[in-house]
Amino acid sequence: MSDSRPVALDAMGGDHAPHEIVAGAVHAVRERGLPVVLVGSPRVLFEALADHGATQEVPIVRAEEALAMNEGALASLRRPRSSIAVACHLVRRGDACAVVSAGSTAGVVATGRLRLKAQQHVLRPAIAVRLPTLPRPTLLVDAGANADAKPEMLVQFAHLGAAYAELAHGATEPKIGLLTIGSEPEKGNKLTKRANELLQSSPGLHFAGNIEGHDLLTGKVDVITTDGFTGNVALKTMEGAVRYAFAELRTAVEESRLAKLGAALQRNRLRELRNRLDAEAYGGAVLLGLNGTVVIAHGSSRAPAISAACQLAADMSANGIVTRIGDRIATSHRSHRLW
Amino acid sequence: MSDSRPVALDAMGGDHAPHEIVAGAVHAVRERGLPVVLVGSPRVLFEALADHGATQEVPIVRAEEALAMNEGALASLRRPRSSIAVACHLVRRGDACAVVSAGSTAGVVATGRLRLKAQQHVLRPAIAVRLPTLPRPTLLVDAGANADAKPEMLVQFAHLGAAYAELAHGATEPKIGLLTIGSEPEKGNKLTKRANELLQSSPGLHFAGNIEGHDLLTGKVDVITTDGFTGNVALKTMEGAVRYAFAELRTAVEESRLAKLGAALQRNRLRELRNRLDAEAYGGAVLLGLNGTVVIAHGSSRAPAISAACQLAADMSANGIVTRIGDRIATSHRSHRLW
């Protein structure tokens, strides 16, 4: 499933960079057999690799600078030699198959757009996040790249997600839902009402209609299309609510002596469940629509999440996500000629 | 806490109308000592009251028509004699202190705006929903009345929520948070970026800055201001995620024989917790900014939720929510003169 080119891993981005990133790289190389190059400060990275006895296993590519976690889009323009910019450059030159970064989302999106450029006819690259539905994940697109979107973009986000669902989840005719505030087509805000009309007349998309916030975790559709503002609010609300429910549960259990027994019995199952619902375990969000695969790991990622993100990036690249999106967008562009 | 005027209860709105609504009225009268009038079809309501032996305890006001649950704003214009319209009329004439309806939110909002009118200088009435945070609830405003909002409206929603928090939750200087997608002021979409600027310079508001979806249930602020589209998506996402977490938990428990014991021990605590997190138990959303108190109960409300909504409506009215909002908006209007 992977070619011989390595994943370019931004070693300087993330709350636990560089040590957890380096540990994730070592894990990916040793446990998954994935080639990885670390991009960042050679001195720091060499030392971190030495702690794992892995200086011979993971190559380092030099980048003098790094984007701080609180730096956004503008900073990325001023830092052509940041670790994320250099990682994108490796993909652009064909020296790496994909980029993984746990850096600031705004910084990664802006750098990716600047260095890799959007694919032809793609209005805006967008972030796809897998929601932990069963039997297969639902993709939320856009989860935060575009705070202000136009209706035409929501149609493209549906195509980006459909390509992902086909390649990664084996969906044959991925069902598309539009996130809004009422199931009837005329419900919603101006953006979603117009997007509903466009989606209804879009060839190549299996539009299942409007969905609401309740439906994010019901597995009703394969792809949920939304603007990046709404998508990001919904994603973080979902994460917060799940965390809250588990915290309340823990309190309820701890307050009762008898219940402690029950809690002990359930502990393993609960941890497993919480892990599935936990954003870190998703393995990362994918920035779709660029000339190259970019996976954005959660800022708080530790080694296992970084390793999972490298796997996701390598798989997406090997499956030809960029080509698949290119085909979809080109077909849609020819049939519409509106945009 | 209540005057002698009854709550006007729309008996024809809601998934379980009229029987659960009537049962809720009987509960409010008998258990809470609240005067209630039922508005709807006299024949149907008389029979339902007879089942409770309560025909002498709850008066009926005739309304020939009803808005169906799937009817929205336009239908309310065509139905001047709908049960919700008649209930609003009772408040307008001073014959009832407040309206309670479990009918379609869009229908109640449109009818309320048409029959009771917005208070002076209120740009748009908005829906406030209590989130189950501790020690006191956080209010989400607007939870769905205005799908497309302007930045100035978000400032007013903050005032509406602040008045509610002061009266109902004893908050002395209610902290206001703006729901967006990043904590820095410059993060968000065009709407929230401008709203952030306006909120920073609004006298009479204790603006605590941007908050994110994670923060809905942390009790970080007293009032969360947002447009009705984002607020409604966030609210339903939260409800869906909590429901999902509990369903997953149940599955995890049921799959393990040993764990059944633990589950039995915890059953009561869990039910209690789920009830607190359940939308139905909130007692209803309040439509703020009209010349009269309107409480919108969840469409799926049964008798206890209807009775709780009647209590909320009577309390809001007795506490003078309309006057309090009038004072806040008038002060804010004088100091701004922008709108």
Side-chain angles (χ1 to χ4, degrees), chain B residues 217-231:
Chain B
L217 292 168
T218 55
K220 211 168 153 178
V221 295
D222 297 294
V223 177
I224 297 172
T225 180
T226 181
D227 66 279
F229 182 87
T230 307

Side-chain angles (χ1 to χ4, degrees), chain A residues 132 147-148 180 188-190 212-214 229 234 236-237 239 244 248-249 255 258 262 265 269-270 276-277, chain B residues 132 147-148 180 188-190 212-214 229 234 236-237 239 244 248-249 255 258 262 265 269-270 273 276-277:
Chain A
D148 293 286
T180 179
N189 59 10
K190 284 179 200 159
E212 298 191 76
H214 301 126
F229 183 86
K236 287 181 178 160
T237 298
E239 292 173 358
Y244 177 81
E248 289 286 312
L249 181 75
E255 279 174 5
L258 273 177
L265 296 174
R269 300 298 310 244
L270 278 188
R276 182 152 65 79
L277 300 187
Chain B
D148 292 287
T180 181
N189 61 10
K190 283 178 200 159
E212 298 192 75
H214 299 127
F229 182 87
K236 286 179 176 159
T237 299
E239 291 172 0
Y244 176 83
E248 289 287 311
L249 181 75
E255 277 173 7
L258 272 178
L265 297 174
R269 299 300 309 248
L270 277 187
L273 175 60
R276 181 152 65 79
L277 299 187

Side-chain angles (χ1 to χ4, degrees), chain A residues 65-121:
Chain A
E65 296 185 287
L67 287 184
M69 288 306 279
N70 60 359
E71 285 185 309
L74 282 177
S76 70
L77 303 178
R78 295 190 301 261
R79 302 263 167 79
R81 293 292 301 165
S82 71
S83 51
I84 175 67
V86 172
C88 288
H89 194 61
L90 291 176
V91 169
R92 196 166 182 193
R93 278 204 324 221
D95 291 337
C97 68
V99 173
V100 170
S101 176
S104 103
T105 300
V108 176
V109 170
T111 307
R113 288 180 60 182
L114 187 68
R115 306 285 157 198
L116 291 172
K117 309 287 183 205
Q119 292 182 248
Q120 197 180 14
H121 302 310

Side-chain angles (χ1 to χ4, degrees), chain A residues 220-238:
Chain A
K220 212 169 155 178
V221 295
D222 297 294
V223 177
I224 296 172
T225 178
T226 182
D227 65 279
F229 183 86
T230 307
N232 194 269
V233 168
L235 182 67
K236 287 181 178 160
T237 298
M238 193 195 84

Side-chain angles (χ1 to χ4, degrees), chain B residues 1 128-141 160-175 221-224 282 284 286 288 312 315-316 319 321 324:
Chain B
M1 291 279 280
V129 165
R130 281 184 293 184
L131 306 178
T133 49
L134 294 176
R136 64 185 183 210
T138 293
L139 294 167
L140 181 72
V141 190
L160 299 181
Y164 184 161
E166 286 166 350
L167 287 186
H169 308 149
T172 46
E173 294 191 332
K175 274 195 285 187
V221 295
D222 297 294
V223 177
I224 297 172
Y282 300 171
V286 185
L288 300 172
L312 177 62
D315 289 348
M316 295 294 276
N319 283 326
I321 183 74
R324 176 71 65 115

